[in-house]
Amino acid sequence: MLKAVYDWAILADILDGEQYISFSKVNVYEQHKRDLKQLKSYVKLFLPDKYNDIFKVSVKGRANYVAYSAHIKKGSKTGVLNEKCTNDEFCDYLKKTLGTNKHPGYDNIFSRIEAISLCQSR
């Protein structure tokens, strides 16, 4: 009985108000896509010199997007992934790297970083 209640609670968390798991996963994917687009826009606009460090290279000890997503490309080939990290570590890295928000239009992305809910893959 206790396991059934636990399983139901886990399923309810995954469903996140949706009727089907697939609908919930599509919502998570779409939110991740919006987060990433806004984050990339901010970095290109205010920190263009950090763009490659955040999104393109895999370096041991760096909890950047490459380490978080475990996706790296070099040209048309897959590169070598040197590090993996959690969402918490990725958001901590962004807090240190991005510093303070330089434009009120990006308040949402900074609040999602602070809440450690940016680009979640749940």
Side-chain angles (χ1 to χ4, degrees), residues 19 32 46 52 58 84-86 89 104 117 122:
Q19 187 174 0
H32 183 106
F46 295 106
N52 285 344
S58 180
K84 285 187 177 182
C85 71
T86 65
E89 293 166 330
S117 63
R122 217 184 329 139

Side-chain angles (χ1 to χ4, degrees), residues 62-107:
R62 186 178 299 160
N64 61 4
Y65 186 75
V66 174
Y68 174 62
S69 67
H71 180 78
I72 183 170
K73 283 218 168 217
K74 294 223 176 182
S76 63
K77 299 181 181 177
T78 301
V80 176
L81 184 65
N82 294 310
E83 187 77 19
K84 285 187 177 182
C85 71
T86 65
N87 186 261
D88 292 2
E89 293 166 330
F90 175 55
C91 286
D92 285 343
Y93 168 79
L94 288 177
K95 287 177 195 175
K96 292 176 199 165
T97 306
L98 301 180
T100 58
N101 186 4
K102 295 170 179 57
H103 190 280
Y106 292 93
D107 286 344

Side-chain angles (χ1 to χ4, degrees), residues 18-19 21 26 48 57 70 87 89 94 105 109 111 115 119:
E18 293 291 343
Q19 187 174 0
I21 292 173
V26 167
V57 296
N87 186 261
E89 293 166 330
L94 288 177
I109 205 83
S111 65
C119 293

